[in-house]
Amino acid sequence: TQSTWGNSNCFWHDTAMATSAIVALVAVLISTAALGSKTNSSIPEIVPNLPCVFVAGSSSLWRYTYDLTQFMNDGLGYTATSPDGSVLYQMTICEALAPENSTCWRSGVSKSLIVTGCEASGGAPNWLDPANNTVLGVLSGMMLEVLAAGPSHGVRVAYPLGPNGTAPGFALDLICAEIAGQITYMGNISGYQVFQWPTFAACPQYGTGLSLGGILLILVPIGVGVYLGAGVVYKSCVQGVRGWERIPHWSFWRMFPSLIVDGVLFTWSFVSCNE
């Protein structure tokens, strides 16, 4: 068969078709992964034995991890004040407030509770007065929620009140930000005392959920696309082949279904001890 390599129209036409097919395949894979990461992304999956490390994103191709253990500081916690400075808020992330650091414990209000949030009102001189102290949340019933993408991208750590989480308590929104800011009291929202803290430590770690299966799911279709595209171009423009024969190793692939059937029948005859 006469070679048609010199036919530039043939070469560039088939090359463009093959390239377009490969690009489309890669785009579909990326879109599927991105769509999967948004689906149910607000429902975190807790990592066993690490209650403050969790992954989010439902697609195995695009999952991300939040590690809140970096906020733990031996119960020292973090503080914020009301805009007028009269109210002191103390809170922890993933651990209880150390008794010696908790105004609620020191005032005698919370000695029987594992407190994660405390409010002391009445101004600095009166913060240790039991009448001015209120427990905002307890460790049991901690809830995690991934915040929506955009300006509020991050994670919410919420602690309800009561030993079984029977009442709203407080919520701390950790906002992903390049520059850390102060903890700000946002007000009472849906029964929760809500605080917001912009910090780089709240940014998710992308790509940690890409398993071996996910990698193969990307590489195998790309490899198949390159194999078919390059094979079709070569056999069309170098060997001048047309029709189904342009598919590389066409004779093998044409017989492949029959080979599978023969393999199944042979295996069945072997396990069933039939001749």
Side-chain angles (χ1 to χ4, degrees), residues 21-252:
I22 295 173
V23 170
L25 179 63
V26 174
V28 169
L29 288 172
I30 294 176
S31 299
T32 302
L35 179 61
S37 68
K38 296 179 180 179
T39 305
N40 296 328
S41 61
S42 62
I43 305 176
E45 176 183 340
I46 305 297
V47 176
N49 302 320
L50 293 172
C52 282
V53 178
F54 63 93
V55 295
S58 63
S59 172
S60 62
L61 296 179
W62 196 264
R63 293 168 72 83
Y64 43 96
T65 301
Y66 288 97
D67 183 1
L68 302 186
T69 58
Q70 57 191 315
F71 291 99
M72 300 173 68
N73 58 1
D74 295 325
L76 295 177
Y78 305 93
T79 60
T81 56
S82 60
D84 60 3
S86 63
V87 180
L88 172 69
Y89 301 101
Q90 293 180 298
M91 64 202 76
T92 54
I93 301 174
C94 298
E95 60 182 343
L97 274 168
E100 63 273 12
N101 192 56
S102 170
T103 58
C104 286
W105 194 93
R106 291 163 62 192
S107 67
V109 172
S110 65
K111 290 191 176 183
S112 62
L113 298 174
I114 303 177
V115 176
T116 55
C118 179
E119 173 186 319
S121 59
N126 303 304
W127 281 345
L128 291 180
D129 186 341
N132 295 328
N133 274 257
T134 303
V135 175
L136 293 181
V138 294
L139 188 59
S140 61
M142 180 185 72
M143 297 178 292
L144 302 173
E145 179 184 358
V146 178
L147 301 175
S152 297
H153 184 53
V155 61
R156 165 173 287 191
V157 184
Y159 292 99
L161 277 172
N164 298 315
T166 55
F170 80 94
L172 177 58
D173 292 343
L174 302 170
I175 307 302
C176 176
E178 294 184 2
I179 301 177
Q182 300 295 321
I183 299 177
T184 304
Y185 176 61
M186 306 302 293
N188 191 309
I189 303 175
S190 300
Y192 281 91
Q193 301 278 36
V194 178
F195 301 85
Q196 191 175 90
W197 186 10
T199 170
F200 181 75
C203 298
Q205 303 169 19
Y206 288 97
T208 55
L210 192 61
S211 62
L212 177 60
I215 295 174
L216 291 177
L217 191 58
I218 294 176
L219 295 181
V220 170
I222 293 177
V224 171
V226 172
Y227 164 75
L228 290 176
V232 168
V233 170
Y234 177 80
K235 298 194 74 172
S236 298
C237 299
V238 176
Q239 298 181 348
V241 178
R242 290 294 180 266
W244 290 104
E245 298 293 335
R246 292 188 300 177
I247 296 178
H249 307 102
W250 167 243
S251 59
F252 169 78

